[in-house]
Amino acid sequence: MTAAAVPEPTLVPESGRLLCAGAWTLAHAPRLQALVAAQRVRGPAGDVTLDGAGIETLDTAGALLLLELLGDGGAAEAERVEGLSEADAALVRLVAAGRHRERPRPERRASLVLVLERMGEAVIGFWRLAIGFLGFVGLVVTAFAALLVGRRRLRLTSTVFHMEQIGLDAVPIVALLTFLVGAVVAFVGATALRDLGAEVFTVELVSISFLREFGVLLVAILLAGRSGSAFAAEIGSMKSREELDAIDALGLDAVELLVLPRLLALLVMLPVLTVVGMLAGILGGAVVSVLALDMTSAMFLSRLQEETALRHFFVGMAKAPVFAFLVGTVGCLEGFRVTGSAESVGRHTTSSVVQAIFLVIVADALFAMCLMEIGL
């Protein structure tokens, strides 16, 4: 029944009762509000009973105005509305209960409490993240051990594919980045050493810094952003499309199928890229030395051979597998943590890069302290 076919709402006082009739709905809200306001001007409802036998249609707006006629409209006073159908009476009781339901007030807390609360949540989140990472490391190490004893199969095709993707495709950017950094280090070092008349020590500055630190560190950070994020995005996308569930349903092991090939490829190719980075960085330093320091290439190579010990190269290469393991493990773990949405894929991809770079730098600092203590 449309609003036009329903009689206009009316409110008529009669011998201690208020006779309500017509359509008490939102469509007639202006007229209803005028009727209620006029009745309340005449005086409080007191013990007046509402007779709603004449109400043809009722909605929540009409029920709310009926309750306003009764004063505060409590759940007990809702029983003073008589003559309603069972459905309309239930609607009035529901509106009365909702109108007087106590709403919890937001608790006001001091700013210091909020800061401490957020710090506590951050510490708990970091602890859970660390526990999850250590658990996944244990799972990967167990899978590697099973691979070595022949209980798992090496996915050679997938491993070679990822070696090409991680290693060969990254050679140009690695070489260019380390070449430019080597040139910058040489230029800054030469500028600082010129005041002491020791520009010749720029050779040792460039060679030792790239053999021990910059070569492997720059490559690891670059692969954390390039390959670690790709691992997280690929595995996360597979999880969001429920491909990991299909792998489990087929009785296959996701760690063997997805993690081990990527990790093995990274363990092989990061040391190779580290050598490329070392050579490119030293070459960048040599170019600056020849062009800016009036040093011949033969003099640079001679001093490089005489003054730079081979142990610096082995120190840098020893870090490469550790950094590769950290980058690959974090990338794969964040992929498995994706919850299914595209937003989750992006968030965990970003998280994989941040965590990998953080762990690589922490590991490099630990290496530096340990090697300094043993005199290497």
Side-chain angles (χ1 to χ4, degrees):
M1 184 179 294
T2 62
V6 179
E8 290 287 328
T10 59
L11 181 61
V12 180
E14 183 178 303
S15 60
R17 303 171 68 86
L18 292 176
L19 303 181
C20 305
W24 284 62
T25 60
L26 182 62
H28 299 87
R31 176 173 173 76
L32 287 171
Q33 288 174 343
L35 291 174
V36 171
Q39 179 60 37
R40 299 189 71 171
V41 168
R42 295 188 188 101
D47 295 330
V48 173
T49 301
L50 298 183
D51 187 350
I55 295 178
E56 299 191 25
T57 57
L58 180 69
D59 61 9
T60 54
L64 185 61
L65 291 169
L66 283 176
L67 292 171
E68 287 189 9
L69 287 171
L70 299 174
D72 63 353
E77 293 191 356
E79 302 299 330
R80 290 164 51 197
V81 183
E82 299 178 352
L84 295 175
S85 65
E86 183 178 350
D88 289 345
L91 177 61
V92 171
R93 289 193 296 269
L94 181 63
V95 172
R99 187 183 181 192
H100 284 266
R101 183 178 301 157
E102 292 186 2
R103 295 176 175 84
R105 294 183 178 180
E107 181 183 358
R108 291 188 175 182
R109 291 175 293 177
S111 300
L112 179 60
V113 174
L114 293 175
V115 171
L116 294 176
E117 181 180 307
R118 294 193 64 178
M119 290 176 60
E121 291 176 353
V123 171
I124 293 174
F126 178 79
W127 174 254
R128 291 175 178 172
L129 197 67
I131 293 297
F133 175 73
L134 291 177
F136 189 73
V137 168
L139 183 65
V140 171
V141 171
T142 303
F144 263 118
L147 179 64
L148 293 176
V149 299
R151 295 179 57 187
R152 292 180 185 267
R153 184 164 63 92
L154 174 62
R155 309 281 175 169
L156 186 60
T157 302
S158 178
T159 303
V160 173
F161 168 76
H162 288 297
M163 288 174 63
E164 178 185 1
Q165 195 178 45
I166 294 168
L168 295 180
D169 294 347
V171 168
I173 185 64
V174 167
L176 178 61
L177 176 66
T178 52
F179 177 86
L180 294 176
V181 173
V184 171
V185 169
F187 183 78
V188 173
T191 303
L193 293 171
R194 182 176 289 116
D195 296 336
L196 304 175
E199 300 98 320
V200 69
F201 290 104
T202 304
V203 178
E204 288 91 322
L205 175 64
V206 173
S207 61
I208 295 176
S209 62
F210 268 88
L211 292 177
R212 291 183 68 99
E213 298 291 340
F214 288 160
V216 63
L217 190 61
L218 289 174
V219 171
I221 292 175
L222 183 63
L223 290 188
R226 186 179 183 275
S227 300
S229 60
F231 293 170
E234 290 166 0
I235 297 177
S237 298
M238 294 178 69
K239 187 172 182 181
S240 65
R241 294 195 298 263
E242 300 182 354
E243 294 180 29
L244 296 184
D245 296 333
I247 290 174
D248 292 336
L250 292 173
L252 300 174
D253 186 2
V255 174
E256 175 187 332
L257 195 65
L258 302 176
V259 178
L260 291 185
R262 288 172 168 82
L263 205 51
L264 284 171
L266 200 56
L267 285 170
V268 172
M269 297 311 300
L270 197 145
V272 175
L273 291 175
T274 297
V275 174
V276 173
M278 291 176 178
L279 295 176
I282 294 173
L283 179 60
V287 170
V288 171
S289 298
V290 170
L291 296 179
L293 303 180
D294 297 329
M295 184 183 298
T296 64
S297 57
M299 184 185 302
F300 184 93
L301 292 175
S302 175
R303 189 165 184 85
L304 175 66
Q305 182 179 4
E306 293 174 359
E307 301 298 332
T308 305
L310 191 59
R311 61 184 173 88
H312 299 304
F313 171 78
F314 291 118
V315 167
M317 293 302 297
K319 300 177 183 179
V322 178
F323 293 172
F325 184 82
L326 292 175
V327 171
T329 303
V330 170
C332 294
L333 174 59
E334 288 300 312
F336 283 113
R337 283 177 170 162
V338 170
T339 56
S341 63
E343 186 269 339
S344 179
V345 174
R347 186 174 66 253
H348 285 282
T349 300
T350 304
S351 179
S352 70
V353 177
V354 174
Q355 291 182 40
I357 293 175
F358 172 77
L359 290 176
V360 164
I361 294 176
V362 169
D364 186 64
L366 293 176
F367 265 111
M369 289 187 293
C370 293
L371 294 173
M372 182 177 64
E373 289 294 328
I374 63 178
L376 288 178

